[in-house]
Amino acid sequence: MPPVACPGIFIYPNLWQNTNMKRWLWFFLALAAGIGLGLLYGWVISPVDFVNLPPDTLRADYRADYILMVAEAYRSEKDLDLAARRLAIFGSEPPVEIAAQALQFGTSAGFSASEIADLEALVQALRTWQPSSGVAP
Amino acid sequence: MSKKNLPWEAILALLIGIALGLLYSWVISPVAVVDAIPSALRADFKDQYRSVIAAAYAANDDLARARSRLALLGDADSYAALSAQAQKALSGGDALQSYQLAQLASALKELNPVDVPDTPTNPVAQLDLSATSKPAPVNPSETPLPLETDIPLFYTATPRATRTPTAKPGAPFKLLEQETICDMSLAEGLLQVITITSNNRRQIPGIELILSWAGGEEHFFTGFKPELGNGYADSLMQPGVIYNLRAADGGAFISELTPPVCQGEHGETYYGGLKITLHRP
C-alpha cells in the first residue's frame, strides 16, 4: 500500500503494530491513569487532614458569631483593648473592618435587633479606638 | 503471564503517575480550606474561642447559647476544658478570664452534674457542698455529661434568657457559714474555704485569701483544686495558733480561727478542721 500523501510525513498502516510505539502508548496511558488515581486519592479519598487551622479559615457564619460574642462581651466589659485583642485572632486587618464585616453579614443573615445593636456599638467604638499602652491589637 | 511479558513500562508509569498525582493533590495544590468549623481550629485558637464564649455568657447569661457554641469546639468534656482553662488563666494572672470561664463551667455543671471522685486527694477530703451549693442530682449516672451533638449551624434567633444579675468581681465577701469538721480522715487543722455568689450559689475561682496569725500570713487562692470545686481553697492551721481569715479584696474578716479539738469513736482526741463559706452579694 502506498504511503498517505502528506508532505514530509509518512504514516504506515502498520504503525500501531510497531512494538516501540505500543510501549510508549501504554506508558503514557498508565502515567495518565496513575496521575488520575493519585489525584482521586489525594483530593477525594484521603485529602489532607485539616486540623490546627487558623481562625481566618472559619466559615462566615462562625466568624460572625465569634465577632458577635466579642461585641456582647464588650457591651458588658466596656474594654475596647480587650475586644480588639479578641478580634486580632483573624489577622492583621484593622479590628473595625473585621467588626464591620460581621455587621454586614449579620444584617444580611437576619441577626436579631439586639445582636445588630451590639455589633453596631462595637463598630462605632472601634472607629475611634487607638491601641493603648503599646498593646498591638 | 511470564515475567518477561509483564508490561513493566506501564506499571512503572502508573506508579510514577500516582506519585505525581499525590504530590500535586497533597503538596502543590491541596484541597483549600475556606469554610472551617471551630472544632478544626488550632488548640490555642480554640482556647481563645472558648474564653470569648465565656465572656459572652458573662454578658448575656444565655446558657443554652453558650452550650451550643461550646459544642462547636468538639470538646469531649466541656466542663473539664473550661475548668482547666480557668486554672491556666488564673495561673497566668488573668483573673477576669478565669472568673468568666469558671462561671460558665459552674453553670454547665449545674446543668449536667457529675460525680465528684470518691477518693479525694489527701489531705483534702471531698466536700459536702449540699449546704452551700446547688441541689444534688437525683441520679448522676442518668444524667449524661456530653453536650448536645446535633448542633444547629447558626443561632441567630435563639430567644434570650432573662438576665440574672451575676456577682461582679470586687464586691466584698460576707461570711455565710462556719462549720467545725471532725473527720479523722482529713488532715488535722485543715481549713477549707469556699467562695460562692449569693444569687445563684456558683463557686468563684481566683479569689485571693489571706490567712494571718501572730507573726505571719499566708496567701492562697480558690480554684486550684477544680476537682473539689472552682471556688474551693484550703490551708493548714497549726493547733494552738489563732488565725484570722479575709479575702484580699476586702469584705468579711473572720477572726479567732483555730483547729477545734474533736473526739474519736473510742474517746481519743484529735484536731479537726474548719469549713468556711464566703459569699459575694
Side-chain angles (χ1 to χ4, degrees):
Chain A
M1 185 180 286
V4 176
C6 196
I9 300 175
F10 297 93
I11 301 173
Y12 292 90
N14 62 348
L15 182 69
W16 302 108
Q17 289 166 11
N18 181 312
T19 314
N20 258 347
M21 208 59 184
K22 268 172 79 176
R23 285 171 70 180
W24 278 111
L25 178 70
W26 278 113
F27 181 86
F28 284 113
L29 278 177
L31 187 70
I35 291 174
L37 284 175
L39 290 176
L40 178 76
Y41 191 82
W43 276 344
V44 181
I45 298 169
S46 175
V48 176
D49 194 11
F50 287 102
V51 289
N52 299 330
L53 293 175
D56 57 4
T57 57
L58 276 179
R59 211 171 65 195
D61 52 353
Y62 294 130
R63 182 185 166 102
D65 192 41
Y66 177 92
I67 297 164
L68 173 63
M69 288 190 277
V70 173
E72 288 172 340
Y74 170 70
R75 169 168 39 85
S76 162
E77 295 164 351
K78 297 291 176 206
D79 187 341
L80 258 187
D81 282 336
L82 183 57
R85 275 204 303 279
R86 285 170 171 160
L87 292 178
I89 194 173
F90 292 113
S92 55
E93 222 177 333
V96 65
E97 283 179 27
I98 296 170
Q101 286 162 11
L103 176 60
Q104 197 177 2
F105 179 91
T107 310
S108 62
F111 278 25
S112 70
S114 64
E115 290 165 347
I116 295 292
D118 284 342
L119 284 168
E120 279 173 347
L122 180 63
V123 171
Q124 281 297 327
L126 285 169
R127 283 211 171 106
T128 54
W129 170 78
Q130 293 292 321
S132 63
S133 63
V135 181
Chain B
M1 187 183 276
S2 72
K3 260 187 172 182
K4 212 174 175 181
N5 291 338
L6 275 174
W8 289 110
E9 297 88 350
I11 292 170
L12 181 67
L14 187 73
L15 293 176
I16 293 172
I18 289 173
L20 287 174
L22 288 177
L23 178 76
Y24 190 80
S25 58
W26 279 349
V27 182
I28 298 170
S29 176
V31 174
V33 179
V34 287
D35 286 335
I37 55 173
S39 60
L41 291 177
R42 213 171 64 198
D44 54 340
F45 293 130
K46 273 188 180 180
D47 284 352
Q48 172 80 0
Y49 204 102
R50 206 176 286 113
S51 71
V52 172
I53 291 171
Y57 170 69
N60 60 24
D61 215 32
D62 188 341
L63 186 57
R65 195 164 198 187
R67 287 180 72 207
S68 305
R69 284 165 164 168
L70 281 171
L72 295 174
L73 290 173
D75 295 324
D77 182 346
S78 291
Y79 170 76
L82 285 164
S83 295
Q85 198 178 330
Q87 311 314 314
K88 208 165 105 182
L90 186 60
S91 58
D94 192 340
L96 174 65
Q97 192 189 112
S98 169
Y99 174 82
Q100 291 171 337
L101 288 162
Q103 286 293 291
L104 181 53
S106 301
L108 280 182
K109 196 171 186 185
E110 283 172 29
L111 212 61
N112 291 305
V114 289
D115 282 325
V116 253
D118 289 336
T119 48
T121 320
N122 262 339
V124 183
Q126 181 177 334
L127 288 174
D128 173 18
L129 297 177
S130 55
T132 59
S133 190
K134 68 276 173 186
V138 178
N139 184 356
S141 63
E142 289 177 6
T143 316
L145 178 64
L147 301 175
E148 62 198 24
T149 50
D150 297 329
I151 313 149
L153 287 180
F154 197 60
Y155 287 79
T156 53
T158 309
R160 297 304 178 90
T162 309
R163 285 199 68 176
T164 311
T166 51
K168 296 286 181 285
F173 278 100
K174 292 179 179 171
L175 175 63
L176 181 69
E177 199 170 24
Q178 179 174 335
E179 291 176 67
T180 296
I181 305 292
C182 286
D183 185 342
M184 289 183 83
S185 66
L186 298 180
E188 287 192 323
L190 180 67
L191 173 66
Q192 301 173 98
V193 184
I194 303 156
T195 52
I196 60 171
T197 57
S198 293
N199 59 338
N200 52 16
R201 303 254 173 192
R202 284 183 192 155
Q203 298 197 22
I204 311 172
I207 301 300
E208 184 179 2
L209 300 164
I210 303 172
L211 186 66
S212 57
W213 61 92
E217 66 176 29
E218 182 196 348
H219 294 238
F220 59 116
F221 293 82
T222 61
F224 278 104
K225 292 179 178 171
E227 70 277 14
L228 297 173
N230 283 317
Y232 175 85
D234 60 35
S235 183
L236 283 176
M237 301 180 290
Q238 293 297 318
V241 179
I242 306 293
Y243 294 88
N244 301 314
L245 177 73
R246 65 186 169 88
D249 56 0
F253 184 85
I254 304 128
S255 58
E256 305 292 315
L257 299 174
T258 195
V261 177
C262 299
Q263 200 159 28
E265 286 177 6
H266 307 293
E268 74 279 20
T269 58
Y270 64 96
Y271 288 103
L274 295 172
K275 188 170 91 174
I276 290 171
T277 307
L278 301 172
H279 72 125
R280 173 175 271 169

Coordinates of all heavy atoms in Angstrom, one line a residue, chain B residues 185-259:
Chain B
S185 N -10.3 11.3 108.8 CA -9.6 11.1 107.5 C -9.0 12.3 106.9 O -8.3 12.2 105.9 CB -10.6 10.5 106.6 OG -11.6 11.4 106.2
L186 N -9.3 13.5 107.5 CA -8.8 14.7 107.0 C -7.5 15.1 107.8 O -7.3 14.6 108.9 CB -9.8 15.8 107.1 CG -11.1 15.7 106.4 CD1 -12.0 16.9 106.6 CD2 -10.8 15.5 104.9
A187 N -6.7 15.9 107.1 CA -5.5 16.4 107.8 C -6.0 17.3 109.0 O -7.0 18.0 109.0 CB -4.7 17.3 106.9
E188 N -5.2 17.2 110.1 CA -5.5 18.0 111.3 C -5.3 19.4 111.0 O -4.3 19.8 110.4 CB -4.6 17.5 112.5 CG -5.0 16.2 113.0 CD -4.4 15.8 114.4 OE1 -3.2 16.2 114.5 OE2 -5.0 15.3 115.2
G189 N -6.3 20.2 111.5 CA -6.1 21.7 111.3 C -6.4 22.2 109.9 O -6.1 23.3 109.5
L190 N -7.1 21.3 109.1 CA -7.5 21.7 107.7 C -8.5 22.8 107.7 O -9.6 22.7 108.3 CB -8.0 20.5 106.9 CG -8.4 20.7 105.5 CD1 -7.1 21.1 104.7 CD2 -9.1 19.5 104.9
L191 N -8.1 23.9 107.0 CA -9.1 25.0 106.8 C -9.6 25.0 105.4 O -8.8 25.1 104.5 CB -8.4 26.3 107.1 CG -9.2 27.6 106.8 CD1 -10.4 27.7 107.8 CD2 -8.4 28.8 107.0
Q192 N -10.9 24.8 105.2 CA -11.4 24.7 103.9 C -12.3 26.0 103.7 O -13.1 26.3 104.5 CB -12.3 23.5 103.7 CG -11.6 22.2 104.0 CD -12.5 21.0 104.0 OE1 -12.7 20.3 103.0 NE2 -13.2 20.8 105.1
V193 N -12.0 26.6 102.6 CA -12.8 27.9 102.3 C -13.5 27.7 101.0 O -12.9 27.2 100.0 CB -11.8 29.1 102.3 CG1 -12.6 30.4 102.1 CG2 -11.0 29.2 103.5
I194 N -14.7 28.1 100.9 CA -15.4 28.1 99.6 C -16.0 29.5 99.4 O -16.6 30.0 100.3 CB -16.6 27.1 99.7 CG1 -16.0 25.7 100.0 CG2 -17.3 27.0 98.4 CD1 -17.1 24.8 100.7
T195 N -15.8 30.0 98.2 CA -16.3 31.3 97.8 C -17.4 31.1 96.8 O -17.2 30.4 95.8 CB -15.2 32.2 97.3 OG1 -14.6 31.5 96.2 CG2 -14.2 32.6 98.3
I196 N -18.6 31.6 97.1 CA -19.7 31.5 96.2 C -20.4 32.8 95.9 O -20.2 33.8 96.7 CB -20.7 30.5 96.7 CG1 -21.3 30.9 98.1 CG2 -20.2 29.1 96.8 CD1 -22.5 30.1 98.6
T197 N -21.2 32.8 94.9 CA -22.1 34.0 94.7 C -23.4 33.8 95.5 O -23.8 32.7 95.7 CB -22.4 34.2 93.2 OG1 -23.0 33.0 92.8 CG2 -21.1 34.5 92.4
S198 N -24.0 34.9 95.9 CA -25.2 34.8 96.7 C -26.4 34.4 95.9 O -27.2 33.6 96.3 CB -25.5 36.1 97.4 OG -24.5 36.4 98.3
N199 N -26.5 35.0 94.7 CA -27.7 34.8 94.0 C -27.9 33.4 93.4 O -29.0 32.9 93.4 CB -27.9 35.9 92.9 CG -26.7 35.8 91.9 OD1 -25.6 35.3 92.2 ND2 -26.9 36.3 90.7
N200 N -26.8 32.8 92.9 CA -27.0 31.5 92.2 C -26.1 30.5 92.8 O -26.0 29.4 92.2 CB -26.8 31.6 90.7 CG -25.5 32.3 90.4 OD1 -24.6 32.4 91.2 ND2 -25.4 32.8 89.1
R201 N -25.4 30.8 93.8 CA -24.5 29.8 94.6 C -23.5 29.2 93.7 O -23.1 28.1 93.9 CB -25.4 28.7 95.1 CG -26.5 29.2 96.0 CD -26.1 28.8 97.4 NE -27.1 29.4 98.4 CZ -26.9 29.5 99.7 NH1 -25.8 29.0 100.2 NH2 -27.7 30.0 100.5
R202 N -23.0 29.9 92.7 CA -21.9 29.4 91.9 C -20.6 29.7 92.6 O -20.4 30.8 93.2 CB -21.9 30.1 90.5 CG -23.0 29.5 89.7 CD -23.0 30.1 88.3 NE -24.2 29.8 87.6 CZ -24.7 30.4 86.6 NH1 -24.2 31.5 86.2 NH2 -25.8 30.1 86.0
Q203 N -19.7 28.8 92.5 CA -18.4 29.0 93.1 C -17.5 29.9 92.3 O -17.6 30.0 91.1 CB -17.7 27.6 93.3 CG -18.5 26.7 94.2 CD -17.7 25.5 94.7 OE1 -16.5 25.6 94.7 NE2 -18.4 24.5 95.0
I204 N -16.8 30.7 93.0 CA -16.0 31.7 92.4 C -14.5 31.4 92.5 O -14.0 31.3 93.6 CB -16.2 33.1 93.1 CG1 -17.7 33.4 93.2 CG2 -15.5 34.2 92.3 CD1 -18.0 34.6 94.0
P205 N -13.8 31.2 91.4 CA -12.4 30.9 91.4 C -11.6 32.2 91.5 O -12.1 33.3 91.3 CB -12.2 30.2 90.1 CG -13.2 30.9 89.2 CD -14.3 31.3 90.0
G206 N -10.3 32.1 91.7 CA -9.4 33.2 91.6 C -9.5 34.2 92.7 O -9.0 35.3 92.6
I207 N -10.1 33.8 93.8 CA -10.2 34.7 95.0 C -8.9 34.6 95.9 O -8.6 33.4 96.3 CB -11.5 34.5 95.8 CG1 -12.7 34.6 94.9 CG2 -11.5 35.4 97.0 CD1 -12.8 36.0 94.2
E208 N -8.3 35.6 96.1 CA -7.1 35.6 96.9 C -7.5 35.7 98.4 O -8.2 36.6 98.8 CB -6.1 36.7 96.6 CG -4.8 36.6 97.4 CD -3.9 37.8 97.0 OE1 -4.2 38.6 96.2 OE2 -2.8 37.8 97.6
L209 N -7.1 34.7 99.2 CA -7.5 34.7 100.6 C -6.2 34.9 101.4 O -5.1 34.5 101.0 CB -8.1 33.4 101.0 CG -9.4 33.0 100.2 CD1 -9.7 31.6 100.3 CD2 -10.5 33.9 100.7
I210 N -6.3 35.6 102.5 CA -5.2 35.8 103.4 C -5.5 35.2 104.8 O -6.5 35.6 105.4 CB -4.9 37.3 103.5 CG1 -4.7 37.9 102.1 CG2 -3.7 37.6 104.4 CD1 -4.6 39.4 102.1
L211 N -4.6 34.3 105.1 CA -4.7 33.7 106.5 C -3.6 34.3 107.3 O -2.4 34.1 107.0 CB -4.6 32.2 106.4 CG -4.8 31.4 107.6 CD1 -6.2 31.5 108.1 CD2 -4.5 29.9 107.4
S212 N -3.9 35.0 108.3 CA -2.8 35.7 109.1 C -2.9 35.2 110.5 O -3.9 34.7 111.1 CB -3.0 37.2 109.1 OG -4.3 37.5 109.6
W213 N -1.7 35.2 111.2 CA -1.5 34.9 112.6 C -0.5 35.7 113.1 O 0.2 36.5 112.4 CB -1.2 33.4 112.7 CG 0.1 33.0 112.0 CD1 1.3 32.9 112.5 CD2 0.2 32.6 110.6 NE1 2.2 32.5 111.6 CE2 1.6 32.3 110.4 CE3 -0.7 32.5 109.5 CZ2 2.1 31.9 109.2 CZ3 -0.2 32.1 108.3 CH2 1.2 31.8 108.1
A214 N -0.3 35.6 114.4 CA 0.8 36.5 115.1 C 2.1 36.1 114.5 O 2.6 35.0 114.7 CB 0.8 36.2 116.6
G215 N 2.6 37.1 113.8 CA 4.0 36.9 113.2 C 4.0 36.4 111.8 O 5.1 36.1 111.3
G216 N 2.9 36.3 111.1 CA 3.0 35.8 109.7 C 1.6 35.8 109.0 O 0.6 36.1 109.6
E217 N 1.7 35.6 107.8 CA 0.4 35.4 107.0 C 0.7 34.6 105.8 O 1.9 34.5 105.3 CB -0.2 36.8 106.6 CG 0.6 37.6 105.6 CD -0.1 38.9 105.2 OE1 -0.9 39.4 106.0 OE2 0.2 39.3 104.1
E218 N -0.4 34.0 105.3 CA -0.2 33.1 104.1 C -1.3 33.5 103.1 O -2.5 33.8 103.5 CB -0.4 31.7 104.5 CG -0.3 30.7 103.3 CD -0.9 29.3 103.7 OE1 -1.2 29.1 104.8 OE2 -1.0 28.5 102.7
H219 N -0.9 33.6 101.8 CA -1.9 33.9 100.8 C -2.2 32.7 100.0 O -1.3 31.9 99.6 CB -1.3 35.0 99.8 CG -1.1 36.3 100.5 ND1 -1.7 37.5 100.0 CD2 -0.4 36.7 101.5 CE1 -1.4 38.5 100.8 NE2 -0.5 38.0 101.7
F220 N -3.4 32.4 99.8 CA -3.8 31.3 98.9 C -5.0 31.6 98.1 O -5.7 32.6 98.4 CB -4.0 30.0 99.7 CG -5.0 30.0 100.8 CD1 -6.1 29.2 100.8 CD2 -4.9 30.9 101.9 CE1 -7.1 29.3 101.8 CE2 -5.8 30.9 102.9 CZ -6.9 30.1 102.9
F221 N -5.3 30.8 97.1 CA -6.3 31.2 96.1 C -7.3 30.1 95.9 O -7.0 28.9 96.0 CB -5.7 31.4 94.7 CG -4.8 32.6 94.7 CD1 -3.5 32.6 95.1 CD2 -5.3 33.8 94.2 CE1 -2.7 33.7 95.1 CE2 -4.4 34.9 94.1 CZ -3.1 34.9 94.6
T222 N -8.6 30.5 95.6 CA -9.6 29.5 95.3 C -9.4 29.1 93.8 O -8.9 29.9 93.0 CB -11.0 30.1 95.5 OG1 -11.2 31.2 94.6 CG2 -11.3 30.5 96.9
G223 N -9.8 27.9 93.6 CA -9.8 27.4 92.2 C -8.7 26.6 91.7 O -8.6 26.1 90.6
F224 N -7.7 26.3 92.7 CA -6.6 25.5 92.2 C -6.9 24.0 92.4 O -6.0 23.1 92.1 CB -5.3 25.9 93.0 CG -4.6 27.1 92.4 CD1 -4.7 28.3 92.9 CD2 -3.9 26.9 91.2 CE1 -4.2 29.4 92.3 CE2 -3.4 28.0 90.6 CZ -3.5 29.3 91.1
K225 N -8.0 23.7 93.0 CA -8.4 22.2 93.1 C -9.8 22.1 92.5 O -10.8 21.9 93.2 CB -8.4 21.8 94.5 CG -6.9 21.8 95.1 CD -6.9 21.3 96.5 CE -5.4 21.3 97.0 NZ -5.3 21.1 98.4
P226 N -9.8 22.2 91.1 CA -11.1 22.2 90.5 C -11.9 20.9 90.7 O -13.2 20.9 90.7 CB -10.8 22.3 89.0 CG -9.4 21.9 88.9 CD -8.7 22.2 90.2
E227 N -11.3 19.8 91.1 CA -12.0 18.6 91.3 C -12.8 18.7 92.6 O -13.8 18.0 92.8 CB -11.0 17.4 91.5 CG -10.1 17.4 92.7 CD -8.9 18.2 92.5 OE1 -8.8 19.0 91.6 OE2 -8.0 18.1 93.4
L228 N -12.5 19.7 93.4 CA -13.3 19.9 94.6 C -14.2 21.2 94.5 O -14.9 21.5 95.5 CB -12.3 20.1 95.9 CG -11.5 18.8 96.2 CD1 -10.5 19.1 97.2 CD2 -12.4 17.7 96.6
G229 N -14.1 21.8 93.4 CA -14.9 23.0 93.2 C -14.1 24.2 92.8 O -12.9 24.3 93.2
N230 N -14.6 25.0 91.9 CA -13.9 26.1 91.4 C -13.7 27.2 92.4 O -12.8 28.1 92.2 CB -14.6 26.7 90.1 CG -14.3 25.8 88.9 OD1 -13.2 25.4 88.7 ND2 -15.4 25.6 88.2
G231 N -14.5 27.2 93.4 CA -14.4 28.2 94.5 C -13.7 27.7 95.7 O -13.9 28.3 96.8
Y232 N -13.1 26.5 95.6 CA -12.5 25.9 96.8 C -11.0 26.2 97.0 O -10.3 26.3 96.1 CB -12.7 24.4 96.7 CG -12.0 23.6 97.8 CD1 -12.7 23.3 99.0 CD2 -10.7 23.1 97.7 CE1 -12.1 22.6 100.0 CE2 -10.1 22.4 98.7 CZ -10.8 22.1 99.9 OH -10.2 21.5 100.9
A233 N -10.7 26.4 98.3 CA -9.3 26.6 98.6 C -9.1 26.0 100.0 O -10.0 25.9 100.8 CB -8.9 28.1 98.6
D234 N -7.9 25.6 100.3 CA -7.6 25.1 101.7 C -6.2 25.5 102.1 O -5.3 25.8 101.3 CB -7.9 23.6 101.8 CG -7.0 22.8 100.8 OD1 -5.8 23.2 100.6 OD2 -7.4 21.7 100.3
S235 N -6.1 25.4 103.4 CA -4.8 25.7 104.1 C -4.7 24.8 105.4 O -5.7 24.3 105.7 CB -4.7 27.2 104.3 OG -3.4 27.4 104.9
L236 N -3.6 24.8 106.0 CA -3.5 24.1 107.2 C -3.2 25.0 108.4 O -2.4 26.0 108.3 CB -2.3 23.1 107.1 CG -2.6 21.8 106.3 CD1 -1.4 20.9 106.3 CD2 -3.8 21.0 107.0
M237 N -3.9 24.8 109.5 CA -3.7 25.6 110.7 C -3.0 24.7 111.7 O -3.2 23.5 111.8 CB -5.0 26.0 111.3 CG -5.9 26.9 110.3 SD -7.5 27.3 111.1 CE -8.3 25.8 111.1
Q238 N -2.1 25.4 112.4 CA -1.4 24.7 113.5 C -2.2 24.7 114.8 O -2.8 25.8 115.1 CB 0.0 25.4 113.8 CG 1.0 25.3 112.6 CD 1.4 23.8 112.3 OE1 1.6 23.0 113.2 NE2 1.4 23.5 111.0
P239 N -2.3 23.6 115.5 CA -3.0 23.6 116.8 C -2.4 24.6 117.7 O -1.2 24.8 117.8 CB -2.8 22.2 117.3 CG -2.5 21.4 116.1 CD -1.8 22.3 115.2
G240 N -3.3 25.3 118.4 CA -2.8 26.3 119.4 C -2.5 27.7 118.9 O -2.2 28.6 119.6
V241 N -2.6 27.8 117.6 CA -2.4 29.2 117.0 C -3.7 29.8 116.6 O -4.6 29.1 116.1 CB -1.4 29.0 115.7 CG1 -1.2 30.4 115.1 CG2 -0.1 28.3 116.1
I242 N -3.8 31.1 116.8 CA -5.1 31.8 116.5 C -4.9 32.4 115.1 O -3.9 33.1 114.9 CB -5.4 32.9 117.5 CG1 -5.5 32.2 118.9 CG2 -6.7 33.5 117.2 CD1 -6.6 31.2 119.1
Y243 N -5.8 32.2 114.2 CA -5.7 32.7 112.8 C -6.9 33.7 112.5 O -7.9 33.6 113.2 CB -5.8 31.6 111.8 CG -4.6 30.6 111.9 CD1 -4.7 29.5 112.7 CD2 -3.5 30.8 111.1 CE1 -3.6 28.6 112.8 CE2 -2.5 29.9 111.1 CZ -2.5 28.8 112.0 OH -1.5 27.9 112.0
N244 N -6.6 34.6 111.6 CA -7.7 35.4 111.0 C -7.7 35.2 109.5 O -6.7 35.0 108.9 CB -7.3 36.9 111.3 CG -7.2 37.2 112.7 OD1 -8.0 36.8 113.5 ND2 -6.1 37.9 113.1
L245 N -8.9 35.2 109.0 CA -9.0 35.0 107.5 C -9.8 36.1 106.9 O -10.8 36.6 107.5 CB -9.8 33.7 107.3 CG -10.1 33.4 105.8 CD1 -8.9 32.9 105.1 CD2 -11.2 32.3 105.8
R246 N -9.3 36.5 105.7 CA -10.1 37.6 105.0 C -9.7 37.4 103.5 O -8.7 36.8 103.1 CB -9.7 39.0 105.4 CG -8.3 39.4 105.2 CD -8.0 40.7 105.8 NE -6.6 41.0 105.8 CZ -5.9 41.6 104.8 NH1 -6.6 42.0 103.8 NH2 -4.6 41.8 104.9
A247 N -10.6 37.9 102.6 CA -10.3 38.0 101.2 C -9.4 39.2 101.0 O -9.6 40.2 101.6 CB -11.6 38.0 100.4
A248 N -8.5 39.0 100.0 CA -7.6 40.1 99.7 C -8.3 41.4 99.3 O -7.8 42.5 99.5 CB -6.5 39.7 98.7
D249 N -9.4 41.2 98.6 CA -10.1 42.4 98.1 C -11.1 42.9 99.1 O -12.0 43.7 98.7 CB -10.7 42.1 96.7 CG -11.7 40.9 96.7 OD1 -11.8 40.3 97.8 OD2 -12.3 40.6 95.7
G250 N -11.0 42.6 100.3 CA -11.8 43.2 101.3 C -13.0 42.3 101.7 O -13.2 41.2 101.2
G251 N -13.9 42.9 102.6 CA -15.0 42.2 103.0 C -14.9 41.6 104.4 O -14.2 42.1 105.2
A252 N -15.5 40.4 104.6 CA -15.6 39.8 105.9 C -14.2 39.6 106.5 O -13.3 39.2 105.7 CB -16.4 38.5 105.8
F253 N -14.0 39.8 107.8 CA -12.8 39.5 108.5 C -13.2 38.4 109.5 O -13.9 38.7 110.5 CB -12.3 40.8 109.1 CG -10.9 40.6 109.8 CD1 -9.7 40.6 109.1 CD2 -10.9 40.3 111.2 CE1 -8.5 40.4 109.7 CE2 -9.7 40.1 111.8 CZ -8.5 40.2 111.1
I254 N -12.7 37.2 109.3 CA -13.1 36.1 110.3 C -12.0 35.9 111.2 O -10.9 35.5 110.8 CB -13.5 34.9 109.5 CG1 -14.6 35.2 108.5 CG2 -14.0 33.8 110.4 CD1 -14.3 34.8 107.1
S255 N -12.2 36.1 112.5 CA -11.1 36.1 113.4 C -11.3 34.9 114.4 O -12.3 34.2 114.3 CB -11.1 37.4 114.2 OG -12.3 37.6 114.9
E256 N -10.3 34.7 115.2 CA -10.3 33.7 116.2 C -10.4 32.3 115.6 O -11.2 31.4 116.2 CB -11.4 33.9 117.2 CG -11.4 35.3 117.9 CD -10.2 35.5 118.8 OE1 -9.9 34.6 119.6 OE2 -9.5 36.5 118.7
L257 N -9.8 32.0 114.6 CA -9.9 30.7 114.0 C -8.7 29.8 114.5 O -7.6 30.2 114.6 CB -9.7 30.7 112.4 CG -10.8 31.5 111.7 CD1 -10.4 31.6 110.2 CD2 -12.2 30.9 111.9
T258 N -9.1 28.6 115.0 CA -8.1 27.7 115.4 C -8.6 26.3 115.3 O -9.8 26.1 115.3 CB -7.7 28.0 116.9 OG1 -6.5 27.3 117.3 CG2 -8.8 27.6 117.9
P259 N -7.8 25.3 115.1 CA -8.3 23.9 114.9 C -9.0 23.5 116.1 O -8.6 23.6 117.3 CB -7.0 23.1 114.8 CG -6.0 24.1 114.3 CD -6.3 25.4 115.0

